[in-house]
Structure formats: C-alpha cells, structure tokens
Amino acid sequence: MTGTGPATGVIGQEISRADGPAKVTGAARYSGEIALPGLAHAQIVGAEVASGKITSIDTATARRADGVIAIITHRDLPKVNQVPLATSLPGGPAPGETFFPMQDAIVHYAGQPVAIVVAGSLEQAQHAATLVRVSYAQTPSVTTIDQGRAGSYRPDRLYAGRVPAQVRRGDAEGGLAAASIRVDASFRFAANHHNPLEPLTTTAAWDGDKLTLYDSCQGIKAVQLTVAAQLGISPSAIRVLASYVGGAFGCKAMVWPHVTLTALAARHVGRPVRLALPRSQMFTSCGHREQQEHRIQLGASRQGKLVAIRHHKISVTSPFDDWAEPAFGVASRLYACPSFEGEHRLVRGNTMTPTFTRAPGESLGVFTLECAMDELAGELGVDPIELRLRNIADVDPDTGHPWSSHGLRECFERGARRFGWAGRDPSPRSQREGNWLIGTGVAAAAYPVAFVMRTQRARARMHADGTAVVQTSTTEFGTGMATVMAQVAADGLGINMSRLRFEYGDTELPATGSPVGSNGAMMVSAAVHNAAVALRDQLVALAVGDGRSPLHGADRASVVVAGGLMTLTGDDGAGETYASLMRRHGMTDAEATGSWDPPPLDTPYGLLTFGAQFAQVAVDADLGIVRVRHLTGAFAPGRVLNPKTARSQLMGGMLWGMSQALLEGTRMDTSLGRWANASLGDYLVPVNADAPDVDVELIEVRDDVTGPLGVKGIGEVGQVGAAAAIANAVYHATGHRPRELPIAVEHLLPHLPAPAAALAIPRQKTKKTT
C-alpha cells in the first residue's frame, strides 16, 4: 500500500486512511471475495440441541440436491490433533477452544458443527444444508448462571493458565470491617456476541501438500501455526493471506474450528473451498462475552480514602476450558487502596468457549468499580471526580512499581473542562427539559499494556530510484494499521510517504504477533521503526565513508534525512539523496531488517493506559427511554502516531460502550439451550441515529518503557468506562442506580415519577351490566 501525505516528520500528523479509497470504491478484496478457479462453497450444519449424542444423520435428500459435491460428517472427517487453549498474544498456536468438532457423535453446545455441505455455489450449499436430517438422543443442558450456580467452582487459573483466578492484596476482610463507609453492590451482565461488518470467512486451496488460506483474522501467524498443529503438518506448508479484514474486535483473534474445517473440506473435494459464516452462525462459531455477575464491596474513610475493595465474579464457561474475562487487571490497580480481594468462579455450561470481546474483562470489571465509586461519592457527599482524584495511585498498588506513564489526573481535569462538569448539581432529578430528565456521569478508564508477545520483525528495502518498500506480516482490520505503519516507516527513513509502499498480511513476510489486546501499534511500530532506522543508518554510513559524497567524513549522528535528502544538522547547503548515492555505487537496492523484543513480564513498571469518560443522558420521564446526548473522553495513550486514526479508534470504543450500556445482550432460551436472539433483527446494536455527539481529547504522555516510540494502546481503552459513565448519568437523571446491562426500559419505569397525565385523569366508574 502506497502512502500519501507530507514529508518526513509525519508521525503525529492527521493523515487519512491509505486504504480508504480502495474500500469505498470496492477495489478492496476481502477473504470472501478472492476469485479462484473451481471454487466450491461450504455451509456448516449446526447441532439443534445443546447436549446429547447424534443417533443418525440422513444426507440422502441433501446429496441429490443441485450442485452438491460432498457432505462431510464425523464419520468422514479425519482425526484432528487437539491443541491446548492458548492466547494468540505470545505468537504460538491459538485455538479458540480446546474442543474440535466432528470428531465423534457427542454434542456439547447448540450450533456445534455436525456436518459440512460442499456445493458449487453458496446458495446451493445453503439449501442443501437445510435438507440434512440429524437425530439426537438429548440430555439435560446447563446454559445460565442460575442453572449452574450450585455447582460453580473456583479454577486455579484463567486465560489458558496465564491469569490467576484469585487476586489478593492486604486484608480486605479486616479493611471492610473497619471502614467508616461501605458500599455493597451487585450487577448482572447479559452475554454479548460479536457482529463485525464482515463475518468470519475462510477460503482454502491446496496445491499438492501446500495449503493457502485466505482468512479474515487478526493474526495470520496464529492461523498458520494453529492449522499446522491441528493437521499435523509443518507451518512452512501453509501460507496465510489477509489483505483486508472487515472488523475483528476479538472474535478473529483466536482461530476457530471453521478455519481447519474449510481446509479439510478443500482437501476432501480436491478443489478450493470457501466457508463464509452466515450471521446467525456468528453466535455459535467464534465465542462471546460470557454471561456474568459481579458483586463489589468498597470500604472507605470519612475523608473518602479507600481502605478495602472486595470484587467477586461468576460466569459461564464451556465444558472444556476454564475461560473467563479476567475482571481485575485494572480494577485492582486503578486506585490506591491497601487491600484488594478478587475472585472468579465458573459455571460449566453447554456453550462454546467464550473469547476476547473488546476490552475483555476490564469493560465490566471497571464498570462495576466505577458505579460503586459513584455510589460512594454520593454516600460521602463528595463530587465524583474529586473522590477519584483523592484516590489516584501514584504507583502500581499491586507491586509498588512506578507507572511507565500515567496521566489519569490530567484526563479527569481536561475532560471535565471540555465536558462542562463544573457547577454540576449532584442531586438526582435536578435537571429537566420538558419531559426529559437530564443527567451527567463520569467514570475512569484504563486498559493494561501487556508484554506477552514474542520478537517482532520487519524489513525495509530502498530502491535506486529513492522509493522504498517496508514489509511485515501484520494485518489491517480497520484500525488504520497500514496507514500508521507507513507513517512510522517514512519517518524512520526520512522520505515522503508518497515514495513508500507498506506491505502486510502475508505469512511469507517478516513475522509479527497478532495485533490484539491494544498492542498492535506498540509492537508493530517498534519493529517497523527499527527496520527503517537500520536502513537509513546503513545508507548514511555509506555516504559519510564515500570520498565523492558531500557528506564524506561527517559525524553520522549529525546527518539528518528529509524527503530522501541527507544533509548535516543546521546546514542548508549541499547534501545528497539516497537515489544519487545508490546510483553512484551501482546499487539496485539496499535492505535492512529490524526487530523488537518486548521487555520481560517482570518489568519493574506499572503498565496501564489511562483515560476518563463523561456522559450526558436524557431519560423520558413517562416511558423510561434513555438517549445519550453527549460523550466526552480524554485519554493518555503515550505517543500518538496519528491523531485522526487514534480518535476514530477511541470514538468507536466509546460508542460500543454506549451499545453495551443500552442495547447489546444475548438471551438464552433455557428450554432449548440455544441463544434466543441470534440475528441482527433481535440482537440490538446502535445505528447512526443512536450516535450522540462524541468528543475525544488526546493527552500525550512520555513513555520510555513501551518501545522506541513510546506508544501505548488505544483500541480498547475507549470502551472502558463509557458504559459506567452512562449508567452513572442515568442515576443522576432518575435517582435509580442500574444494576443490570443492558439498561432496559423495564428497569427504569418502576423508579420514575408517575406520569403527569396519569395523575391528572380521574378514574371513571364503570357501569354494572346485567
């Protein structure tokens, strides 16, 4: 992808997306649009029961349908290696769940693949799939917390063993007992499902024993390693390509069974096969944010200083994996508090393994904490921002280490000024516009900076005409990665973006890890920067050692490069371009590689990206309808590579936080063990008409720990705190504290003032009839 924009010094400039024109004109080709000769289409047949055993599969009618090439069941599918669950962050295999379907007749969850239909067209495959008849011996299922609460358990660790299920600091029990003020609040959160614009799609093509996958994913290296491990072949036999990905947000971070199933189907029929999940199967094929309940207890002094926090969570996992969003990575460290106790409990349920969903763990962990902090502020009669400022942690409360960078105080102060917080009347129902109750709310935001990836690599090549190519295997799934990395590369080389092409999305390029967990910009920019600087230094060294160069004998450190021209610092006189230097030496190109190794996990610094969220809502006093009128967010993400793409990411997170607060929730039909609203007709997401004014402020803070450019993540911190600010604003408007997400009309109506019209109309007597 060729960059467009100004010359050197482009880091920090607002440059529009380089991939924008291709996307809006339809030139971009996604994984489901790759044209291959002889391409066939696959459709999954999902189990209709949540627990049981297949007793028979009748495929006779389906096989006679037009265009059907093959129907594959557990009786036909080769055995697949079981790969332990792992996160995609470290750069190894990353299956979404330990279980792999169609290996036997056992059904563990509704929607589990039990057959695959392959046909000449998508429509033929979809039709034939409806003709497959599967019979089951059904057994009782557990699909909700209430059904499995009595059998809940506390695992040792979560996240494939990477996160402890319990977090303890100090004496929370003693601290709560001695506290002058206590808050005790419980919350229920509906499950959430992924609905990116592009559903998961895989196209698989074999050439002998070589496999090419075009996959809509966040990490092509993770796909390569996972499929290789499951099929028992060398990763070198698999090439994965992902030029364009239509949104991901966590559902494409892990590698789900459909990818390997597509590869197996293609091998079975001897031709390329594409499997594009229909929207309904997105609810049963790529994990979800699990149904969960949180209870939090805060203890504080009368001066508003926290002395103890106890935070417990229970959620539903799958039959095979101890998986839960870790809720305490931020909640245990956001404020200075000597005692913290966090505990996760799990219910084994008949669902697939949950997965990363934007701001996993922290969005609801911080929601719980920030709603409780708002309640504590009310108990103390203290402004909610002032309470938070009194408890800001100057060091990481868990370790005592200094923060790599902070900025939370600045986020609160500058965000409050932009939002107009000053002079707010804290009394609930204190502001009204006609029939609308107006409320404002605030919440802190933070998200971890996690050094759990392996070595990141990039390659930079300069051609003799002064143009450059920079390559790395990262993917672009809507974040602006390709644009921002072109900026980083152009800045490091000292050339115009128009003279540089950034190539990505191919496992044959230098490897980077999956850009997940808000780590993408940090880790990929470090490798790209180091590659670009290494090539620049190589060419500068050639120039200063060349007797024919005007830079001969100069101190390398005094040479600056802008627009491809090497000059001496402070000297506007003679210089030399890369192109002229390379032509004189008869060079067709020059190349350098760059790598970056993240600091060790025990780096002696606290690592969080901080922010503050503000919301104004209007609640209809008669109907309980909530409208978000305004959102303001102030964030401190280290160095900002591109303010335009950064604001876009943060704005998207804030709007998703609004969606989480008011709209999104998947409901389980316990009688069937199936999700009851598995469609975009029933699973609510916001549309443009729901979007309020959104105001984002970026506060740059210097960070010398997170890589050579001081970049921290922004992809998820924008969602953290947004729902809590909205819920706190709803309380301010109505006097009722929401205890369940999404906040629904039926939660609010019993707590609203009686409608004026109802009070004014006297009840009429009815005539008695005979």
Side-chain angles (χ1 to χ4, degrees):
M1 180 168 297
T2 301
T4 56
T8 345
V10 291
I11 286 182
Q13 297 210 17
E14 296 200 358
I15 294 176
S16 297
R17 293 272 295 270
D19 54 339
K23 289 181 175 179
V24 300
T25 60
R29 289 290 178 264
Y30 292 81
S31 297
E33 299 175 311
I34 304 299
L36 297 175
L39 179 68
H41 294 263
Q43 178 76 19
I44 287 174
V45 178
E48 295 180 354
V49 302
S51 178
K53 185 175 182 178
I54 298 169
T55 57
S56 68
I57 304 180
D58 181 358
T59 61
T61 303
R63 289 182 189 277
R64 291 194 297 269
D66 289 345
V68 171
I69 300 167
I71 299 177
I72 306 168
T73 71
H74 67 277
R75 294 188 294 261
D76 312 299
L77 198 74
K79 293 302 177 185
V80 172
N81 295 328
Q82 188 178 84
V83 180
L85 182 67
T87 69
S88 58
L89 295 175
E97 55 187 3
T98 303
F99 168 73
F100 195 89
M102 295 178 59
Q103 299 293 283
D104 55 33
I106 305 301
V107 174
H108 299 280
Y109 56 88
Q112 172 187 318
V114 297
I116 301 173
V117 176
V118 183
S121 72
L122 174 61
E123 293 78 11
Q124 289 171 334
Q126 289 173 331
H127 172 65
T130 67
L131 303 178
V132 176
R133 299 289 179 259
V134 185
S135 299
Y136 307 90
Q138 190 170 356
T139 54
S141 63
V142 172
T143 52
T144 65
I145 292 173
D146 287 340
Q147 287 180 309
R149 193 185 304 275
S152 67
Y153 65 100
R154 188 181 69 207
D156 292 330
R157 302 186 72 81
L158 306 166
Y159 254 23
R162 299 182 183 280
V163 176
Q166 278 189 298
V167 177
R168 293 187 184 276
R169 179 179 74 238
D171 178 14
E173 180 71 28
L176 288 169
S180 301
I181 304 290
R182 286 181 288 275
V183 169
D184 189 335
S186 296
F187 300 86
R188 295 174 62 92
F189 303 113
N192 294 159
H193 276 81
H194 283 282
N195 279 287
L197 283 175
E198 177 202 33
L200 275 71
T201 303
T202 302
T203 302
W206 291 88
D207 182 5
D209 60 355
K210 301 291 186 182
L211 172 64
T212 300
L213 294 169
Y214 303 87
D215 192 52
S216 56
C217 63
Q218 287 178 248
I220 55 176
K221 192 68 178 177
V223 171
Q224 181 192 51
L225 295 174
T226 304
V227 175
Q230 289 174 336
L231 296 183
I233 63 178
S234 170
S236 64
I238 301 175
R239 183 183 185 186
V240 184
L241 297 158
S243 296
Y244 294 92
V245 179
F249 311 108
C251 70
K252 300 175 184 177
M254 310 300 278
V255 185
W256 299 100
H258 73 277
V259 181
T260 300
L261 287 173
T262 307
L264 290 170
R267 188 162 65 182
H268 184 86
V269 300
R271 57 196 282 189
V273 169
R274 174 171 300 146
L275 196 161
L277 293 178
R279 184 63 61 179
S280 60
Q281 290 185 352
M282 287 291 291
F283 289 79
T284 56
S285 300
C286 55
H288 53 277
R289 195 195 306 274
E290 70 272 25
Q291 182 205 16
Q292 48 194 281
E293 295 178 3
H294 291 231
R295 181 186 177 190
I296 192 166
Q297 296 167 285
L298 303 183
S301 69
R302 295 199 177 277
Q303 291 72 42
K305 298 289 286 185
L306 290 169
V307 296
I309 302 173
R310 176 185 284 148
H311 190 162
H312 288 191
K313 174 193 167 183
I314 184 171
S315 60
V316 181
T317 188
S318 69
F320 359 94
D321 297 308
D322 288 342
W323 208 103
E325 294 188 326
F328 315 132
V330 169
S332 66
R333 300 188 291 153
L334 191 52
Y335 299 115
C337 182
S339 301
F340 183 92
E341 175 190 303
E343 179 180 289
H344 295 85
R345 294 189 70 82
L346 296 177
V347 169
R348 286 245 181 258
N350 292 103
T351 71
M352 70 183 312
T353 300
T355 196
F356 306 103
T357 307
R358 200 171 195 174
E362 314 308 345
S363 67
L364 295 182
V366 171
F367 177 92
T368 301
L369 173 64
E370 287 301 282
C371 288
M373 286 292 285
D374 199 71
E375 191 167 344
L376 178 60
E379 293 287 333
L380 291 165
V382 175
D383 179 83
I385 294 179
E386 174 58 28
L387 176 66
R388 289 165 171 83
L389 294 178
R390 291 180 189 180
N391 288 281
I392 277 185
D394 295 323
V395 298
D396 186 331
D398 276 350
T399 63
H401 293 151
W403 300 108
S404 66
S405 58
H406 201 240
L408 181 57
R409 182 179 298 275
E410 292 86 346
C411 289
F412 274 124
E413 292 173 346
R414 289 169 59 171
R417 285 197 296 271
R418 288 181 77 108
F419 183 74
W421 184 268
R424 169 185 184 263
D425 186 338
S427 304
R429 300 184 188 172
S430 57
Q431 187 178 351
R432 188 165 185 151
E433 293 179 7
N435 209 43
W436 293 98
L437 305 172
I438 309 301
T440 53
V442 66
Y447 197 76
V449 179
F451 293 140
V452 290
M453 69 290 291
R454 297 176 184 170
T455 302
Q456 310 298 304
R457 296 181 177 88
R459 178 168 56 234
R461 182 182 298 118
M462 181 71 67
H463 294 288
D465 62 357
T467 62
V469 178
V470 175
Q471 303 168 315
T472 188
S473 67
T474 191
T475 50
E476 164 64 273
F477 44 88
T479 61
M481 176 74 80
T483 307
V484 174
M485 292 309 116
Q487 288 179 254
V488 171
D491 185 87
L493 286 167
I495 63 175
N496 293 346
M497 281 185 68
S498 60
R499 304 284 285 168
L500 181 137
R501 186 171 73 254
F502 179 64
E503 296 181 346
Y504 59 95
D506 186 340
T507 48
E508 296 193 350
L509 300 179
T512 55
S514 301
V516 299
S518 297
N519 286 310
M522 175 183 69
M523 67 184 191
V524 180
S525 70
V528 168
H529 170 80
N530 287 347
V533 169
L535 179 54
R536 181 194 68 195
D537 290 349
Q538 180 187 130
L539 293 171
V540 167
L542 182 64
V544 299
D546 182 355
R548 292 171 294 174
S549 171
L551 299 174
H552 178 249
D555 179 4
R556 291 187 220 173
S558 66
V559 177
V560 294
V561 190
L565 175 67
M566 298 175 285
T567 59
L568 294 177
T569 303
D571 184 357
D572 295 330
E576 182 166 28
T577 65
Y578 288 141
S580 63
L581 173 70
M582 294 175 68
R583 282 196 300 269
R584 189 168 62 252
H585 283 266
M587 300 168 63
T588 57
D589 60 38
E591 183 176 290
T593 58
S595 63
W596 179 69
D597 290 299
L601 292 175
D602 59 355
T603 296
Y605 292 93
L607 295 161
L608 292 176
T609 299
F610 293 95
Q613 304 260 23
F614 300 80
Q616 183 192 64
V617 304
V619 182
D620 188 297
D622 291 344
L623 303 177
I625 296 170
V626 180
R627 292 283 182 259
V628 179
R629 289 188 170 182
H630 188 80
L631 294 173
T632 291
F635 304 94
R639 189 177 184 186
V640 178
L641 298 175
N642 182 329
K644 178 179 282 190
T645 58
R647 287 195 187 93
S648 178
Q649 283 287 288
L650 292 165
M651 184 182 297
M654 294 164 72
L655 289 171
W656 197 338
M658 179 193 74
S659 182
Q660 186 179 38
L662 301 178
L663 297 171
E664 293 193 52
T666 324
R667 308 299 180 180
M668 180 63 70
D669 182 339
T670 55
S671 65
L672 298 175
R674 297 196 299 222
W675 299 111
N677 55 326
S679 75
L680 285 180
D682 300 298
Y683 184 89
L684 303 181
V685 295
V687 296
N688 286 341
D690 297 306
D693 292 328
V694 182
D695 179 32
V696 176
E697 178 163 13
L698 296 166
I699 301 170
E700 289 208 14
V701 290
R702 178 168 176 167
D703 198 304
D704 296 322
V705 177
T706 58
L709 297 177
V711 177
K712 296 165 78 173
I714 56 169
E716 289 164 292
V717 70
Q719 181 168 350
V720 179
I726 291 167
N728 292 336
V730 168
Y731 165 74
H732 186 228
T734 66
H736 171 66
R737 292 201 177 275
R739 299 297 197 206
E740 187 172 346
L741 291 187
I743 302 167
V745 168
E746 55 267 30
H747 302 156
L748 299 179
L749 279 176
H751 307 280
L752 295 176
L759 293 175
I761 301 174
R763 299 182 67 180
Q764 295 182 352
K765 294 182 179 180
T766 58
K767 293 183 178 180
K768 187 174 181 180
T769 59
T770 58

